[in-house]
PDB file of all heavy atoms in Angstrom:
ATOM      1  N   ARG L   1      11.545  21.218 -10.206  1.00 90.00           N
ATOM      2  CA  ARG L   1      10.346  20.409 -10.637  1.00 90.00           C
ATOM      3  C   ARG L   1      10.714  18.928 -10.710  1.00 90.00           C
ATOM      4  O   ARG L   1       9.905  18.089 -10.419  1.00 90.00           O
ATOM      5  CB  ARG L   1       9.871  20.913 -11.996  1.00 90.00           C
ATOM      6  CG  ARG L   1       9.241  22.300 -11.887  1.00 90.00           C
ATOM      7  CD  ARG L   1       8.687  22.806 -13.178  1.00 90.00           C
ATOM      8  NE  ARG L   1       8.067  24.090 -12.986  1.00 90.00           N
ATOM      9  CZ  ARG L   1       7.488  24.784 -13.931  1.00 90.00           C
ATOM     10  NH1 ARG L   1       7.380  24.324 -15.161  1.00 90.00           N
ATOM     11  NH2 ARG L   1       6.971  25.965 -13.643  1.00 90.00           N
ATOM     12  N   THR L   2      11.975  18.644 -11.112  1.00 90.00           N
ATOM     13  CA  THR L   2      12.418  17.215 -11.106  1.00 90.00           C
ATOM     14  C   THR L   2      12.393  16.643  -9.711  1.00 90.00           C
ATOM     15  O   THR L   2      11.916  15.536  -9.480  1.00 90.00           O
ATOM     16  CB  THR L   2      13.828  17.159 -11.729  1.00 90.00           C
ATOM     17  OG1 THR L   2      13.830  17.686 -12.992  1.00 90.00           O
ATOM     18  CG2 THR L   2      14.324  15.690 -11.781  1.00 90.00           C
ATOM     19  N   VAL L   3      12.962  17.462  -8.769  1.00 89.00           N
ATOM     20  CA  VAL L   3      13.009  17.002  -7.373  1.00 89.00           C
ATOM     21  C   VAL L   3      11.576  16.785  -6.813  1.00 89.00           C
ATOM     22  O   VAL L   3      11.277  15.773  -6.190  1.00 89.00           O
ATOM     23  CB  VAL L   3      13.754  18.056  -6.457  1.00 89.00           C
ATOM     24  CG1 VAL L   3      13.601  17.744  -5.003  1.00 89.00           C
ATOM     25  CG2 VAL L   3      15.205  18.039  -6.814  1.00 89.00           C
ATOM     26  N   PHE L   4      10.736  17.763  -7.063  1.00 86.00           N
ATOM     27  CA  PHE L   4       9.360  17.668  -6.563  1.00 86.00           C
ATOM     28  C   PHE L   4       8.636  16.476  -7.228  1.00 86.00           C
ATOM     29  O   PHE L   4       7.928  15.720  -6.533  1.00 86.00           O
ATOM     30  CB  PHE L   4       8.632  18.962  -6.906  1.00 86.00           C
ATOM     31  CG  PHE L   4       7.191  18.995  -6.356  1.00 86.00           C
ATOM     32  CD1 PHE L   4       6.962  19.130  -5.026  1.00 86.00           C
ATOM     33  CD2 PHE L   4       6.109  18.899  -7.218  1.00 86.00           C
ATOM     34  CE1 PHE L   4       5.661  19.181  -4.494  1.00 86.00           C
ATOM     35  CE2 PHE L   4       4.842  18.951  -6.750  1.00 86.00           C
ATOM     36  CZ  PHE L   4       4.559  19.074  -5.365  1.00 86.00           C
ATOM     37  N   GLY L   5       8.850  16.290  -8.515  1.00 89.00           N
ATOM     38  CA  GLY L   5       8.218  15.134  -9.228  1.00 89.00           C
ATOM     39  C   GLY L   5       8.704  13.804  -8.668  1.00 89.00           C
ATOM     40  O   GLY L   5       7.872  12.917  -8.433  1.00 89.00           O
ATOM     41  N   ASN L   6       9.969  13.687  -8.323  1.00 89.00           N
ATOM     42  CA  ASN L   6      10.513  12.433  -7.757  1.00 89.00           C
ATOM     43  C   ASN L   6       9.946  12.154  -6.374  1.00 89.00           C
ATOM     44  O   ASN L   6       9.676  11.032  -6.008  1.00 89.00           O
ATOM     45  CB  ASN L   6      12.060  12.462  -7.702  1.00 89.00           C
ATOM     46  CG  ASN L   6      12.658  12.302  -9.081  1.00 89.00           C
ATOM     47  OD1 ASN L   6      12.034  11.802  -9.973  1.00 89.00           O
ATOM     48  ND2 ASN L   6      13.913  12.688  -9.237  1.00 89.00           N
ATOM     49  N   MET L   7       9.768  13.205  -5.564  1.00 88.00           N
ATOM     50  CA  MET L   7       9.163  13.068  -4.239  1.00 88.00           C
ATOM     51  C   MET L   7       7.712  12.561  -4.384  1.00 88.00           C
ATOM     52  O   MET L   7       7.327  11.671  -3.624  1.00 88.00           O
ATOM     53  CB  MET L   7       9.204  14.412  -3.490  1.00 88.00           C
ATOM     54  CG  MET L   7      10.587  14.719  -2.906  1.00 88.00           C
ATOM     55  SD  MET L   7      10.851  16.490  -2.573  1.00 88.00           S
ATOM     56  CE  MET L   7       9.448  16.884  -1.634  1.00 88.00           C
ATOM     57  N   MET L   8       7.017  13.125  -5.330  1.00 88.00           N
ATOM     58  CA  MET L   8       5.588  12.704  -5.532  1.00 88.00           C
ATOM     59  C   MET L   8       5.566  11.272  -6.022  1.00 88.00           C
ATOM     60  O   MET L   8       4.609  10.540  -5.709  1.00 88.00           O
ATOM     61  CB  MET L   8       4.902  13.650  -6.493  1.00 88.00           C
ATOM     62  CG  MET L   8       4.638  15.059  -5.982  1.00 88.00           C
ATOM     63  SD  MET L   8       3.849  15.073  -4.340  1.00 88.00           S
ATOM     64  CE  MET L   8       2.285  14.348  -4.735  1.00 88.00           C
ATOM     65  N   LYS L   9       6.535  10.849  -6.851  1.00 89.00           N
ATOM     66  CA  LYS L   9       6.535   9.496  -7.363  1.00 89.00           C
ATOM     67  C   LYS L   9       6.635   8.511  -6.202  1.00 89.00           C
ATOM     68  O   LYS L   9       5.882   7.508  -6.161  1.00 89.00           O
ATOM     69  CB  LYS L   9       7.798   9.245  -8.243  1.00 89.00           C
ATOM     70  CG  LYS L   9       7.619   9.719  -9.648  1.00 89.00           C
ATOM     71  CD  LYS L   9       8.987   9.538 -10.426  1.00 89.00           C
ATOM     72  CE  LYS L   9       9.034  10.515 -11.585  1.00 89.00           C
ATOM     73  NZ  LYS L   9      10.356  10.578 -12.144  1.00 89.00           N
ATOM     74  N   TYR L  10       7.506   8.794  -5.222  1.00 87.00           N
ATOM     75  CA  TYR L  10       7.653   7.905  -4.073  1.00 87.00           C
ATOM     76  C   TYR L  10       6.348   7.823  -3.296  1.00 87.00           C
ATOM     77  O   TYR L  10       5.888   6.727  -2.957  1.00 87.00           O
ATOM     78  CB  TYR L  10       8.797   8.377  -3.147  1.00 87.00           C
ATOM     79  CG  TYR L  10       8.789   7.587  -1.856  1.00 87.00           C
ATOM     80  CD1 TYR L  10       9.257   6.320  -1.799  1.00 87.00           C
ATOM     81  CD2 TYR L  10       8.204   8.142  -0.684  1.00 87.00           C
ATOM     82  CE1 TYR L  10       9.215   5.545  -0.654  1.00 87.00           C
ATOM     83  CE2 TYR L  10       8.192   7.426   0.519  1.00 87.00           C
ATOM     84  CZ  TYR L  10       8.659   6.117   0.532  1.00 87.00           C
ATOM     85  OH  TYR L  10       8.599   5.385   1.665  1.00 87.00           O
ATOM     86  N   ILE L  11       5.772   8.976  -3.050  1.00 87.00           N
ATOM     87  CA  ILE L  11       4.507   9.001  -2.270  1.00 87.00           C
ATOM     88  C   ILE L  11       3.410   8.216  -2.984  1.00 87.00           C
ATOM     89  O   ILE L  11       2.733   7.370  -2.366  1.00 87.00           O
ATOM     90  CB  ILE L  11       4.063  10.478  -1.968  1.00 87.00           C
ATOM     91  CG1 ILE L  11       5.090  11.125  -1.020  1.00 87.00           C
ATOM     92  CG2 ILE L  11       2.690  10.538  -1.400  1.00 87.00           C
ATOM     93  CD1 ILE L  11       4.929  12.639  -0.932  1.00 87.00           C
ATOM     94  N   LYS L  12       3.254   8.433  -4.256  1.00 89.00           N
ATOM     95  CA  LYS L  12       2.192   7.756  -5.033  1.00 89.00           C
ATOM     96  C   LYS L  12       2.452   6.218  -5.086  1.00 89.00           C
ATOM     97  O   LYS L  12       1.560   5.426  -4.880  1.00 89.00           O
ATOM     98  CB  LYS L  12       2.110   8.323  -6.475  1.00 89.00           C
ATOM     99  CG  LYS L  12       1.477   9.692  -6.518  1.00 89.00           C
ATOM    100  CD  LYS L  12       1.545  10.236  -7.991  1.00 89.00           C
ATOM    101  CE  LYS L  12       0.894  11.594  -8.029  1.00 89.00           C
ATOM    102  NZ  LYS L  12       1.044  12.176  -9.391  1.00 89.00           N
ATOM    103  N   MET L  13       3.717   5.879  -5.345  1.00 87.00           N
ATOM    104  CA  MET L  13       4.053   4.437  -5.459  1.00 87.00           C
ATOM    105  C   MET L  13       3.851   3.735  -4.145  1.00 87.00           C
ATOM    106  O   MET L  13       3.311   2.620  -4.071  1.00 87.00           O
ATOM    107  CB  MET L  13       5.516   4.275  -5.950  1.00 87.00           C
ATOM    108  CG  MET L  13       5.719   4.672  -7.423  1.00 87.00           C
ATOM    109  SD  MET L  13       7.423   4.964  -7.823  1.00 87.00           S
ATOM    110  CE  MET L  13       8.158   3.349  -7.687  1.00 87.00           C
ATOM    111  N   THR L  14       4.332   4.374  -3.073  1.00 84.00           N
ATOM    112  CA  THR L  14       4.264   3.711  -1.755  1.00 84.00           C
ATOM    113  C   THR L  14       2.779   3.586  -1.285  1.00 84.00           C
ATOM    114  O   THR L  14       2.420   2.561  -0.733  1.00 84.00           O
ATOM    115  CB  THR L  14       5.074   4.536  -0.715  1.00 84.00           C
ATOM    116  OG1 THR L  14       6.417   4.661  -1.227  1.00 84.00           O
ATOM    117  CG2 THR L  14       5.124   3.891   0.599  1.00 84.00           C
ATOM    118  N   ILE L  15       2.021   4.675  -1.461  1.00 84.00           N
ATOM    119  CA  ILE L  15       0.649   4.607  -1.043  1.00 84.00           C
ATOM    120  C   ILE L  15      -0.127   3.550  -1.787  1.00 84.00           C
ATOM    121  O   ILE L  15      -0.879   2.774  -1.207  1.00 84.00           O
ATOM    122  CB  ILE L  15      -0.017   6.018  -1.149  1.00 84.00           C
ATOM    123  CG1 ILE L  15       0.527   6.941  -0.073  1.00 84.00           C
ATOM    124  CG2 ILE L  15      -1.559   5.901  -1.111  1.00 84.00           C
ATOM    125  CD1 ILE L  15       0.050   8.370  -0.174  1.00 84.00           C
ATOM    126  N   SER L  16       0.112   3.455  -3.121  1.00 86.00           N
ATOM    127  CA  SER L  16      -0.600   2.454  -3.886  1.00 86.00           C
ATOM    128  C   SER L  16      -0.175   1.031  -3.526  1.00 86.00           C
ATOM    129  O   SER L  16      -1.007   0.113  -3.370  1.00 86.00           O
ATOM    130  CB  SER L  16      -0.368   2.657  -5.392  1.00 86.00           C
ATOM    131  OG  SER L  16       0.966   2.604  -5.694  1.00 86.00           O
ATOM    132  N   SER L  17       1.169   0.878  -3.258  1.00 82.00           N
ATOM    133  CA  SER L  17       1.666  -0.466  -2.892  1.00 82.00           C
ATOM    134  C   SER L  17       1.131  -0.855  -1.519  1.00 82.00           C
ATOM    135  O   SER L  17       0.616  -1.974  -1.327  1.00 82.00           O
ATOM    136  CB  SER L  17       3.199  -0.401  -2.886  1.00 82.00           C
ATOM    137  OG  SER L  17       3.714  -1.459  -2.105  1.00 82.00           O
ATOM    138  N   ASN L  18       1.252   0.087  -0.585  1.00 80.00           N
ATOM    139  CA  ASN L  18       0.780  -0.207   0.838  1.00 80.00           C
ATOM    140  C   ASN L  18      -0.704  -0.407   0.885  1.00 80.00           C
ATOM    141  O   ASN L  18      -1.197  -1.261   1.616  1.00 80.00           O
ATOM    142  CB  ASN L  18       1.199   0.933   1.757  1.00 80.00           C
ATOM    143  CG  ASN L  18       2.660   1.017   2.021  1.00 80.00           C
ATOM    144  OD1 ASN L  18       3.440   0.199   1.433  1.00 80.00           O
ATOM    145  ND2 ASN L  18       3.137   1.913   2.820  1.00 80.00           N
ATOM    146  N   PHE L  19      -1.428   0.326   0.077  1.00 84.00           N
ATOM    147  CA  PHE L  19      -2.887   0.153   0.046  1.00 84.00           C
ATOM    148  C   PHE L  19      -3.222  -1.281  -0.439  1.00 84.00           C
ATOM    149  O   PHE L  19      -4.110  -1.937   0.063  1.00 84.00           O
ATOM    150  CB  PHE L  19      -3.533   1.215  -0.870  1.00 84.00           C
ATOM    151  CG  PHE L  19      -5.041   1.019  -1.005  1.00 84.00           C
ATOM    152  CD1 PHE L  19      -5.911   1.415   0.018  1.00 84.00           C
ATOM    153  CD2 PHE L  19      -5.588   0.419  -2.141  1.00 84.00           C
ATOM    154  CE1 PHE L  19      -7.279   1.237  -0.101  1.00 84.00           C
ATOM    155  CE2 PHE L  19      -6.913   0.225  -2.270  1.00 84.00           C
ATOM    156  CZ  PHE L  19      -7.783   0.629  -1.241  1.00 84.00           C
ATOM    157  N   GLY L  20      -2.465  -1.702  -1.477  1.00 83.00           N
ATOM    158  CA  GLY L  20      -2.672  -3.064  -2.002  1.00 83.00           C
ATOM    159  C   GLY L  20      -2.458  -4.107  -0.935  1.00 83.00           C
ATOM    160  O   GLY L  20      -3.260  -5.073  -0.770  1.00 83.00           O
ATOM    161  N   ASN L  21      -1.326  -3.963  -0.165  1.00 78.00           N
ATOM    162  CA  ASN L  21      -1.027  -4.899   0.925  1.00 78.00           C
ATOM    163  C   ASN L  21      -2.147  -4.946   1.950  1.00 78.00           C
ATOM    164  O   ASN L  21      -2.678  -6.022   2.325  1.00 78.00           O
ATOM    165  CB  ASN L  21       0.240  -4.417   1.661  1.00 78.00           C
ATOM    166  CG  ASN L  21       1.493  -4.926   0.897  1.00 78.00           C
ATOM    167  OD1 ASN L  21       1.403  -5.798   0.039  1.00 78.00           O
ATOM    168  ND2 ASN L  21       2.621  -4.348   1.226  1.00 78.00           N
ATOM    169  N   VAL L  22      -2.504  -3.726   2.456  1.00 80.00           N
ATOM    170  CA  VAL L  22      -3.500  -3.631   3.516  1.00 80.00           C
ATOM    171  C   VAL L  22      -4.883  -4.106   3.049  1.00 80.00           C
ATOM    172  O   VAL L  22      -5.600  -4.834   3.788  1.00 80.00           O
ATOM    173  CB  VAL L  22      -3.573  -2.210   4.064  1.00 80.00           C
ATOM    174  CG1 VAL L  22      -4.725  -2.007   5.044  1.00 80.00           C
ATOM    175  CG2 VAL L  22      -2.222  -1.853   4.740  1.00 80.00           C
ATOM    176  N   PHE L  23      -5.211  -3.759   1.833  1.00 84.00           N
ATOM    177  CA  PHE L  23      -6.553  -4.164   1.290  1.00 84.00           C
ATOM    178  C   PHE L  23      -6.618  -5.701   1.190  1.00 84.00           C
ATOM    179  O   PHE L  23      -7.639  -6.309   1.556  1.00 84.00           O
ATOM    180  CB  PHE L  23      -6.791  -3.499  -0.093  1.00 84.00           C
ATOM    181  CG  PHE L  23      -8.117  -3.796  -0.663  1.00 84.00           C
ATOM    182  CD1 PHE L  23      -9.259  -3.165  -0.117  1.00 84.00           C
ATOM    183  CD2 PHE L  23      -8.319  -4.666  -1.719  1.00 84.00           C
ATOM    184  CE1 PHE L  23     -10.516  -3.420  -0.654  1.00 84.00           C
ATOM    185  CE2 PHE L  23      -9.522  -4.910  -2.243  1.00 84.00           C
ATOM    186  CZ  PHE L  23     -10.673  -4.292  -1.711  1.00 84.00           C
ATOM    187  N   SER L  24      -5.493  -6.320   0.717  1.00 83.00           N
ATOM    188  CA  SER L  24      -5.412  -7.775   0.643  1.00 83.00           C
ATOM    189  C   SER L  24      -5.599  -8.436   2.014  1.00 83.00           C
ATOM    190  O   SER L  24      -6.376  -9.390   2.198  1.00 83.00           O
ATOM    191  CB  SER L  24      -4.105  -8.249   0.067  1.00 83.00           C
ATOM    192  OG  SER L  24      -3.905  -7.635  -1.167  1.00 83.00           O
ATOM    193  N   VAL L  25      -4.895  -7.835   3.023  1.00 79.00           N
ATOM    194  CA  VAL L  25      -4.974  -8.399   4.414  1.00 79.00           C
ATOM    195  C   VAL L  25      -6.364  -8.233   4.949  1.00 79.00           C
ATOM    196  O   VAL L  25      -6.917  -9.176   5.591  1.00 79.00           O
ATOM    197  CB  VAL L  25      -3.951  -7.649   5.301  1.00 79.00           C
ATOM    198  CG1 VAL L  25      -4.197  -8.012   6.785  1.00 79.00           C
ATOM    199  CG2 VAL L  25      -2.516  -8.051   4.908  1.00 79.00           C
ATOM    200  N   LEU L  26      -7.010  -7.086   4.742  1.00 82.00           N
ATOM    201  CA  LEU L  26      -8.373  -6.844   5.249  1.00 82.00           C
ATOM    202  C   LEU L  26      -9.373  -7.805   4.630  1.00 82.00           C
ATOM    203  O   LEU L  26     -10.242  -8.364   5.301  1.00 82.00           O
ATOM    204  CB  LEU L  26      -8.787  -5.392   4.980  1.00 82.00           C
ATOM    205  CG  LEU L  26      -8.114  -4.314   5.871  1.00 82.00           C
ATOM    206  CD1 LEU L  26      -8.465  -2.918   5.356  1.00 82.00           C
ATOM    207  CD2 LEU L  26      -8.605  -4.473   7.281  1.00 82.00           C
ATOM    208  N   VAL L  27      -9.272  -7.980   3.289  1.00 87.00           N
ATOM    209  CA  VAL L  27     -10.257  -8.862   2.625  1.00 87.00           C
ATOM    210  C   VAL L  27      -9.981 -10.310   3.070  1.00 87.00           C
ATOM    211  O   VAL L  27     -10.959 -11.062   3.393  1.00 87.00           O
ATOM    212  CB  VAL L  27     -10.067  -8.769   1.081  1.00 87.00           C
ATOM    213  CG1 VAL L  27     -10.870  -9.848   0.370  1.00 87.00           C
ATOM    214  CG2 VAL L  27     -10.486  -7.381   0.605  1.00 87.00           C
ATOM    215  N   ALA L  28      -8.716 -10.706   3.116  1.00 86.00           N
ATOM    216  CA  ALA L  28      -8.406 -12.104   3.548  1.00 86.00           C
ATOM    217  C   ALA L  28      -8.854 -12.376   4.947  1.00 86.00           C
ATOM    218  O   ALA L  28      -9.343 -13.472   5.293  1.00 86.00           O
ATOM    219  CB  ALA L  28      -6.906 -12.325   3.401  1.00 86.00           C
ATOM    220  N   SER L  29      -8.759 -11.355   5.893  1.00 81.00           N
ATOM    221  CA  SER L  29      -9.115 -11.593   7.275  1.00 81.00           C
ATOM    222  C   SER L  29     -10.594 -11.810   7.461  1.00 81.00           C
ATOM    223  O   SER L  29     -11.026 -12.441   8.488  1.00 81.00           O
ATOM    224  CB  SER L  29      -8.686 -10.321   8.100  1.00 81.00           C
ATOM    225  OG  SER L  29      -9.476  -9.223   7.739  1.00 81.00           O
ATOM    226  N   ALA L  30     -11.405 -11.420   6.468  1.00 83.00           N
ATOM    227  CA  ALA L  30     -12.850 -11.688   6.571  1.00 83.00           C
ATOM    228  C   ALA L  30     -13.165 -13.172   6.354  1.00 83.00           C
ATOM    229  O   ALA L  30     -14.178 -13.675   6.814  1.00 83.00           O
ATOM    230  CB  ALA L  30     -13.569 -10.826   5.552  1.00 83.00           C
ATOM    231  N   PHE L  31     -12.257 -13.936   5.676  1.00 87.00           N
ATOM    232  CA  PHE L  31     -12.505 -15.312   5.373  1.00 87.00           C
ATOM    233  C   PHE L  31     -11.568 -16.280   6.144  1.00 87.00           C
ATOM    234  O   PHE L  31     -11.911 -17.489   6.269  1.00 87.00           O
ATOM    235  CB  PHE L  31     -12.319 -15.566   3.855  1.00 87.00           C
ATOM    236  CG  PHE L  31     -13.197 -14.653   3.004  1.00 87.00           C
ATOM    237  CD1 PHE L  31     -12.686 -13.543   2.401  1.00 87.00           C
ATOM    238  CD2 PHE L  31     -14.533 -14.952   2.856  1.00 87.00           C
ATOM    239  CE1 PHE L  31     -13.480 -12.729   1.613  1.00 87.00           C
ATOM    240  CE2 PHE L  31     -15.369 -14.171   2.069  1.00 87.00           C
ATOM    241  CZ  PHE L  31     -14.843 -13.052   1.449  1.00 87.00           C
ATOM    242  N   LEU L  32     -10.449 -15.802   6.601  1.00 84.00           N
ATOM    243  CA  LEU L  32      -9.515 -16.701   7.280  1.00 84.00           C
ATOM    244  C   LEU L  32      -9.601 -16.583   8.772  1.00 84.00           C
ATOM    245  O   LEU L  32      -9.823 -15.500   9.345  1.00 84.00           O
ATOM    246  CB  LEU L  32      -8.074 -16.371   6.806  1.00 84.00           C
ATOM    247  CG  LEU L  32      -7.750 -16.488   5.348  1.00 84.00           C
ATOM    248  CD1 LEU L  32      -6.377 -15.940   5.022  1.00 84.00           C
ATOM    249  CD2 LEU L  32      -7.845 -17.975   4.897  1.00 84.00           C
ATOM    250  N   PRO L  33      -9.468 -17.696   9.472  1.00 83.00           N
ATOM    251  CA  PRO L  33      -9.565 -17.667  10.968  1.00 83.00           C
ATOM    252  C   PRO L  33      -8.191 -17.267  11.633  1.00 83.00           C
ATOM    253  O   PRO L  33      -8.086 -17.349  12.820  1.00 83.00           O
ATOM    254  CB  PRO L  33      -9.887 -19.120  11.283  1.00 83.00           C
ATOM    255  CG  PRO L  33      -9.239 -19.899  10.196  1.00 83.00           C
ATOM    256  CD  PRO L  33      -9.291 -19.061   8.956  1.00 83.00           C
ATOM    257  N   PHE L  34      -7.232 -16.805  10.852  1.00 79.00           N
ATOM    258  CA  PHE L  34      -5.918 -16.402  11.432  1.00 79.00           C
ATOM    259  C   PHE L  34      -5.475 -15.152  10.660  1.00 79.00           C
ATOM    260  O   PHE L  34      -6.003 -14.751   9.636  1.00 79.00           O
ATOM    261  CB  PHE L  34      -4.887 -17.523  11.221  1.00 79.00           C
ATOM    262  CG  PHE L  34      -4.736 -18.030   9.853  1.00 79.00           C
ATOM    263  CD1 PHE L  34      -3.844 -17.356   8.945  1.00 79.00           C
ATOM    264  CD2 PHE L  34      -5.487 -19.070   9.361  1.00 79.00           C
ATOM    265  CE1 PHE L  34      -3.727 -17.812   7.643  1.00 79.00           C
ATOM    266  CE2 PHE L  34      -5.354 -19.484   8.054  1.00 79.00           C
ATOM    267  CZ  PHE L  34      -4.472 -18.868   7.175  1.00 79.00           C
ATOM    268  N   LEU L  35      -4.418 -14.422  11.187  1.00 74.00           N
ATOM    269  CA  LEU L  35      -3.842 -13.231  10.543  1.00 74.00           C
ATOM    270  C   LEU L  35      -3.164 -13.645   9.229  1.00 74.00           C
ATOM    271  O   LEU L  35      -2.256 -14.482   9.248  1.00 74.00           O
ATOM    272  CB  LEU L  35      -2.873 -12.577  11.437  1.00 74.00           C
ATOM    273  CG  LEU L  35      -3.366 -11.592  12.524  1.00 74.00           C
ATOM    274  CD1 LEU L  35      -2.181 -11.040  13.322  1.00 74.00           C
ATOM    275  CD2 LEU L  35      -4.123 -10.440  11.874  1.00 74.00           C
ATOM    276  N   PRO L  36      -3.565 -13.079   8.096  1.00 78.00           N
ATOM    277  CA  PRO L  36      -2.958 -13.436   6.793  1.00 78.00           C
ATOM    278  C   PRO L  36      -1.438 -13.073   6.805  1.00 78.00           C
ATOM    279  O   PRO L  36      -0.650 -13.811   6.243  1.00 78.00           O
ATOM    280  CB  PRO L  36      -3.682 -12.609   5.781  1.00 78.00           C
ATOM    281  CG  PRO L  36      -4.949 -12.179   6.466  1.00 78.00           C
ATOM    282  CD  PRO L  36      -4.665 -12.074   7.923  1.00 78.00           C
ATOM    283  N   MET L  37      -1.095 -11.912   7.379  1.00 76.00           N
ATOM    284  CA  MET L  37       0.286 -11.477   7.398  1.00 76.00           C
ATOM    285  C   MET L  37       0.575 -10.813   8.738  1.00 76.00           C
ATOM    286  O   MET L  37      -0.246 -10.003   9.204  1.00 76.00           O
ATOM    287  CB  MET L  37       0.643 -10.492   6.285  1.00 76.00           C
ATOM    288  CG  MET L  37       0.796 -11.082   4.915  1.00 76.00           C
ATOM    289  SD  MET L  37       1.217  -9.845   3.679  1.00 76.00           S
ATOM    290  CE  MET L  37       2.993  -9.731   3.899  1.00 76.00           C
ATOM    291  N   LEU L  38       1.667 -11.186   9.328  1.00 75.00           N
ATOM    292  CA  LEU L  38       2.054 -10.546  10.621  1.00 75.00           C
ATOM    293  C   LEU L  38       2.569  -9.140  10.355  1.00 75.00           C
ATOM    294  O   LEU L  38       3.073  -8.874   9.260  1.00 75.00           O
ATOM    295  CB  LEU L  38       3.095 -11.356  11.328  1.00 75.00           C
ATOM    296  CG  LEU L  38       2.667 -12.783  11.756  1.00 75.00           C
ATOM    297  CD1 LEU L  38       3.886 -13.562  12.290  1.00 75.00           C
ATOM    298  CD2 LEU L  38       1.547 -12.752  12.836  1.00 75.00           C
TER     299      LEU L  38
END
């Protein structure tokens, strides 16, 4: 259960972090005339 819990922690943390990155890029791209992040 410890192993399974740690695997789920990584998945949850990474998805939330990556979603934050991508969401920021998508929102910024609607207002900026260039790519916010390469």
Side-chain angles (χ1 to χ4, degrees):
R1 289 183 181 182
T2 302
V3 169
F4 184 72
N6 285 341
M7 281 157 52
M8 290 310 295
K9 277 176 205 168
Y10 170 75
I11 292 167
K12 286 176 181 176
M13 288 162 68
T14 304
I15 287 174
S16 59
S17 163
N18 290 3
F19 176 78
N21 278 345
V22 171
F23 185 72
S24 304
V25 169
L26 286 170
V27 170
S29 67
F31 302 101
L32 299 173
F34 54 87
L35 276 179
M37 285 182 82
L38 297 172

